[in-house]
Amino acid sequence: MAPTAWTARLALTIGALAALRPVGAQEFRSGVELRVLDVVVSDAHGLPAGGLRPEDFEITEDGTPVTIRFVTPAETPAMVPVGSGVAAMRDPDVWTNVGVASQRVFAVVLDDLSTRPSDTARARALAQAFVERLPEGDLAAIVFTGQQAGTQEFTADKARLTQSLRQYTGRYAVPDLHGVDTDDDNTSMDMLARATSGGEVTANYRRTLQTLVNVTDWLSSIRDRRKSILFVTAGLEPALAHAMLSGLDGRRFSGGRTPGDLFATLVARAAETNVAIYPLDYQGLSGPLSRSSFRSGASGLNALRVMADETGGVAGVNNNNPDRLFDRMIQDASDYYLIAYEPAASARPDKKPRAHSLKVRMRSDALSVRARRTYVSRPIAAASRKQTAAQLLSSPLPGGALALNVQVSAFPKGNGQARVFAVLEVVGDELGKGVANSDTTVDVTYRLVATDVRGRVQASDARDIALRLSRERFQQITRQRLRIFSHLDLPPGAFRVRASVVHGDTHGVVAGDVEVPDYKKASLVVSQPLVVSSGAAAIPVRREDFEPFQGRLSAAPTALRSFSVGESLEVYAEVHMPRRRRNDSSGRAPVVTAAVVNASRAEVVQVPTRVGPTGKGLAGGLIYPVTVSPSTSGLVAGQYDLALTVMADGLEPVTRRLAFTIR
C-alpha cells in the first residue's frame, strides 16, 4: 500500500521539533513497572463521578486481580463552544506551548474511501458540526483515508479546520457481488477481492484501517492523557467486517495483509497508546449501502461497535442525533481518570510486546465505568529507555519545559516570493536553572522549519547562540524572557512551520500554519502585523536581530499579546497591491482604518493610522507601509481586538484582527 501524503508528513524527521511530553502532564513514578490506562466513570445519572480512589476500582489482567497504585483525576474545564465564524475573525498569529496540557485533543478521520460521492455533503456536514461544537482552545486535526490533499494538523483555528473539510470528497468503489454468497461463513477474502474491480474495495478497507493505525501511532507521543479519534464512515461491508472481527478473536496483532490482522493491530495500538475511537456512521437511521447488498448487513455496524468497545470509545450507529456522540466525546475527554496499576506478582516480564485482556469494574453498583479491554505490554528494557528520536520528532503537539511564544508574519519579497519573519520569545525562568553563579552565559539552539502539504521541507533555519551577558542583563533575561529572530524565504502556498528552542536538557516546541499568497495574482494583501510595546522594548535584543526592522519600527517586535495598562503600542503592517494599480497614475493609496473593540464586539476607541508612500518593504517587495499607534491608557483589564481594515478602489476590503489582553 502506497503511503498517503499525510502519512509521509507524519514520518518526516525535522530536527528537535517535538515535545518530550505535554507541559504539566501527569507522570507516574515507582520502583516497579506500572501500567497506565484512562477510564471514564459515570454515576447513576450519567454524569462524571468525582473523588474516586484506588479502592473504588477493581482491575483484572488476564483474569488475575492486580494492585492499583495511583488513581489521578484529569479534569479539563468546560468551555463554551465558539463557531468557526467567530474564530475566523481573529488571526491566530501567535503560537504557544503554554497551557497545552489543559487542551483536549481530537483527531477527525473521514473515511472518503467508504463514502459515495453523492454522500459527500452529508458526511462533511457531520464533521463540520463536530468542529462547531468544539470548545474554544481545543485542538483538532483532520485526516482523510484516501485523498492526497486537504489534511490539517492539530490546530485550535476552526477556520482552518473548516477549510480542510471543504476539500473532502467521497470516493467509494461500489463492489460487484453478483453470484457471491455473502451469508456463507466460508466466503473467503480472496473471493470477495475477486468480486470487486481489481480488489479495490478490499484494498480500500485495508487502507482505511492502516490510516487509523497511522493516526494512532501519530498520537502515541502525546503522553498521559486521553486522545480521541472521531471516525466518520459509512459503516463496513459485512463480509469484510466479519473477517476483521475474526482477526480480533484470534488476537493476531501482526499488522498483516488482511483487514482482520489490521483490525486487531488497530485495537492493540489504541490500547498501547490510550487512544479512544468513536466511530460515527454518517447515514444515521437510513440503511447504508452495504445493507442493500448483503442480507447479513448488521455485522458491518457490529464492527464499529466492537471498535469503540475495545478502545474505550462510543459508537454512533443507528442514530440520527450525532450531537449526543459529540457531547459524549468532549465530556469523556474532560473528566476521566488515569489509573496506574502493578501487574500481578505471578506475571513474568514480557520479552516482546504482548496483548493482555483487561476488565475494569467499580465496587459500587451506582457507578459505571468505560475502559479499553486490552493492554499491550512492552518489555521492561524498552519501557525504561528514553523516547527515540523518531518519536520526539513526530510529536503532533507543542510542548516542552521551555515556555515559548512564536509569531510569524509573511511579507512580499518580489517575484511572487515571501519572507516569513519569526519572533521566538522564550520565558526566561528555565534559562537560569542549573547555571553557576559565576556564569552569565546563555546557550540556546533554535530551529525553524517549513514543510509543504506533502511534508517536504521547503525552507529551514538553525543556529546556535551563545549570549555572554553582564550580570544585570543575565538577571533581566532569566527573570523575564529572551527574544530570538529568524526568517525563511517561501514561495506561494500553504506551509506548516515548526519552531524549537533547546537550552541544555530542556526545550520548547510550537507549530502552526502559514499561508503565503501569490503576490503576482493577488488583488489586495495585508501582512500579519508586527507589534512593538513599550514594555517589551525595555528588554534587550541582539543588535543584528533588530537590523531587519530598523527604519520601520521603533524597537524589536514582540510575540507577547498581553500588556499592562498605560503601555504604548506600535503596530506595523504592509499592504501589497497589484502592479497595475501601483503603475496607474490615477490609482490612490489604500484607505486604512483601525479600532479597538472589546469582548462584546463593541468599538471602544478609534485608533489613528499612518499610510506611507509606496516603496520597498521589510523583505524588499513594493508595498504601502501602514503604522497604527494604539495606547492602552483608558482601557480596563480584559480581552480586546485591534481591527485593522484596508480598503482600495475596486478591490475587496481586507481586515486583520489582532487579539490582545490588558492586565
Side-chain angles (χ1 to χ4, degrees):
M1 178 190 70
T4 64
W6 177 84
T7 305
R9 293 181 72 181
L10 303 188
L12 189 66
T13 300
I14 323 173
L17 300 179
L20 288 169
R21 62 177 61 245
V23 178
Q26 175 68 39
E27 296 184 27
F28 294 99
R29 296 182 173 89
S30 175
V32 297
E33 178 198 11
L34 296 183
R35 298 175 178 176
V36 182
L37 70 151
D38 61 273
V39 301
V40 176
V41 184
S42 303
D43 61 18
H45 303 287
L47 300 175
L52 300 181
R53 298 171 294 180
E55 54 266 30
D56 295 314
F57 296 85
E58 289 181 352
I59 298 179
T60 58
E61 185 180 84
D62 298 328
T64 303
V66 301
T67 301
I68 300 175
R69 293 298 186 188
F70 302 103
V71 171
T72 302
E75 300 175 350
T76 303
M79 294 182 176
V80 178
V82 176
S84 60
V86 175
M89 296 179 71
R90 288 183 173 181
D91 298 314
D93 64 318
V94 175
W95 312 326
T96 183
N97 60 0
V98 177
V100 172
S102 65
Q103 294 173 294
R104 286 160 285 243
V105 177
F106 304 97
V108 181
V109 178
L110 289 103
D111 187 10
D112 53 315
L113 295 176
S114 73
T115 302
R116 289 176 294 183
S118 59
D119 286 342
T120 294
R122 190 174 185 180
R124 183 192 294 144
L126 280 184
Q128 182 64 45
F130 175 71
V131 168
E132 299 289 350
R133 214 167 185 84
L134 281 176
E136 184 178 12
D138 280 3
L139 298 169
I142 305 292
V143 179
F144 307 127
T145 59
Q147 66 189 65
Q148 295 284 309
T151 59
Q152 172 62 54
E153 292 190 41
F154 279 106
T155 180
D157 183 0
K158 294 189 178 183
R160 289 193 176 276
L161 295 170
T162 298
Q163 182 181 5
S164 175
L165 290 175
R166 289 195 185 110
Q167 301 179 61
Y168 172 74
T169 302
R171 55 193 69 229
Y172 177 73
V174 180
D176 178 10
L177 298 172
H178 180 71
V180 176
D181 184 2
T182 58
D183 281 343
D184 185 356
D185 291 339
N186 295 320
T187 298
S188 68
M189 293 302 299
D190 287 340
M191 289 177 62
L192 188 62
R194 287 195 299 270
T196 66
S197 176
E200 185 177 359
V201 170
T202 305
N204 282 350
Y205 277 112
R206 283 201 299 266
R207 190 173 178 182
T208 292
L209 289 171
Q210 186 62 60
T211 299
L212 288 170
V213 171
N214 292 344
V215 174
T216 302
D217 287 343
W218 185 45
L219 298 174
S220 64
S221 60
I222 305 174
R223 296 301 186 91
D224 298 337
R225 76 160 90 179
R226 187 178 182 88
K227 290 90 67 176
S228 306
I229 295 176
L230 175 65
F231 177 42
V232 182
T233 183
L236 304 173
E237 296 294 351
L240 287 165
H242 178 74
M244 293 177 192
L245 297 179
S246 298
L248 185 62
D249 291 340
R251 299 288 170 179
R252 296 194 299 271
F253 301 123
S254 61
R257 299 178 180 178
T258 71
D261 288 339
L262 277 173
F263 191 76
T265 299
L266 171 62
V267 170
R269 298 282 175 82
E272 184 182 349
T273 58
N274 277 346
V275 173
I277 302 178
Y278 295 75
L280 173 61
D281 179 7
Y282 67 78
Q283 297 168 114
L285 290 173
S286 61
L289 178 67
S290 57
R291 291 181 206 159
S292 64
S293 303
F294 295 93
R295 290 188 294 277
S296 57
S299 63
L301 298 181
N302 285 341
L304 296 182
R305 293 189 180 98
V306 171
M307 183 185 293
D309 291 343
E310 288 284 343
T311 62
V314 175
V317 298
N318 278 334
N319 194 311
N320 281 339
N321 184 12
D323 290 346
R324 185 175 300 173
L325 178 68
F326 300 157
D327 291 341
R328 181 75 271 172
M329 279 187 67
I330 296 171
Q331 185 62 65
D332 288 353
S334 303
D335 294 281
Y336 60 93
Y337 289 88
L338 288 172
I339 299 180
Y341 69 91
E342 184 180 338
S346 59
R348 296 179 180 179
D350 294 325
K351 295 182 180 180
K352 61 181 181 179
R354 188 163 70 90
H356 302 269
S357 62
L358 277 180
K359 188 172 184 179
V360 182
R361 294 181 62 254
M362 306 304 299
R363 294 185 184 274
S364 171
D365 293 337
L367 300 176
S368 60
V369 63
R370 184 152 34 84
R372 60 193 72 256
R373 298 176 179 177
T374 305
Y375 185 92
V376 177
S377 60
R378 289 288 171 182
I380 294 178
S384 63
R385 290 197 301 265
K386 291 183 179 180
Q387 289 177 288
T388 65
Q391 287 175 316
L392 296 179
L393 303 177
S394 63
S395 175
L397 292 186
L402 287 180
L404 185 63
N405 294 293
V406 175
Q407 185 205 359
V408 293
S409 301
F411 295 90
K413 187 183 178 200
N415 294 324
Q417 301 284 306
R419 173 156 291 178
V420 177
F421 289 100
V423 183
L424 297 80
E425 203 135 9
V426 188
V427 177
D429 55 357
E430 288 287 339
L431 299 177
K433 291 183 179 179
V435 178
N437 290 333
S438 59
D439 189 4
T440 58
T441 300
V442 175
D443 294 301
V444 296
T445 298
Y446 78 81
R447 177 165 292 185
L448 194 68
V449 178
T451 55
D452 61 18
V453 294
R454 294 185 179 273
R456 299 170 300 195
V457 175
Q458 294 297 312
S460 64
D461 182 32
R463 199 170 304 173
D464 296 323
I465 300 176
L467 301 175
R468 293 172 176 82
L469 307 168
S470 66
R471 171 57 58 179
E472 179 184 4
R473 290 300 194 199
F474 177 80
Q475 291 179 346
Q476 188 177 20
I477 286 176
T478 55
R479 289 175 182 173
Q480 297 184 58
R481 54 192 179 273
L482 170 69
R483 267 181 294 175
I484 304 169
F485 298 84
S486 179
H487 69 265
L488 304 171
D489 290 343
L490 293 170
F495 302 92
R496 184 74 170 181
V497 175
R498 291 176 169 87
S500 68
V501 177
V502 179
H503 171 67
D505 294 330
T506 60
H507 73 284
V509 183
V510 297
D513 297 294
V514 174
E515 298 279 349
V516 175
D518 188 338
Y519 294 103
K520 290 183 177 181
K521 299 179 180 178
S523 57
L524 179 63
V525 179
V526 181
S527 71
Q528 187 64 45
L530 297 174
V531 179
V532 174
S533 75
S534 55
I539 298 175
V541 297
R542 297 189 308 164
R543 183 179 295 106
E544 56 265 41
D545 281 344
F546 179 54
E547 283 179 359
F549 309 105
Q550 222 159 11
R552 295 291 187 190
L553 286 77
S554 61
T558 177
L560 295 187
R561 296 296 180 265
S562 179
F563 310 107
S564 301
V565 174
E567 276 194 74
S568 59
L569 306 180
E570 177 184 326
V571 178
Y572 173 83
E574 294 184 352
V575 178
H576 178 274
M577 298 175 65
R579 183 175 297 275
R580 58 180 173 79
R581 292 298 300 269
R582 293 197 302 266
N583 294 338
D584 185 356
S585 59
S586 63
R588 291 174 293 184
V591 176
V592 180
T593 60
V596 173
V597 298
N598 60 21
S600 300
R601 320 307 298 174
E603 183 177 303
V604 176
V605 62
Q606 284 279 343
V607 180
T609 63
R610 185 173 67 256
V611 180
T614 184
K616 288 189 176 182
L618 291 175
L622 291 175
I623 54 90
Y624 286 97
V626 176
T627 304
V628 183
S629 302
S631 172
T632 61
S633 299
L635 298 180
V636 299
Q639 299 284 336
Y640 296 91
D641 283 359
L642 174 66
L644 180 70
T645 300
V646 179
M647 296 169 286
D649 292 340
L651 300 178
E652 190 73 22
V654 175
T655 298
R656 288 286 195 182
R657 290 184 178 269
L658 201 73
F660 65 96
T661 303
I662 299 297
R663 60 179 185 273

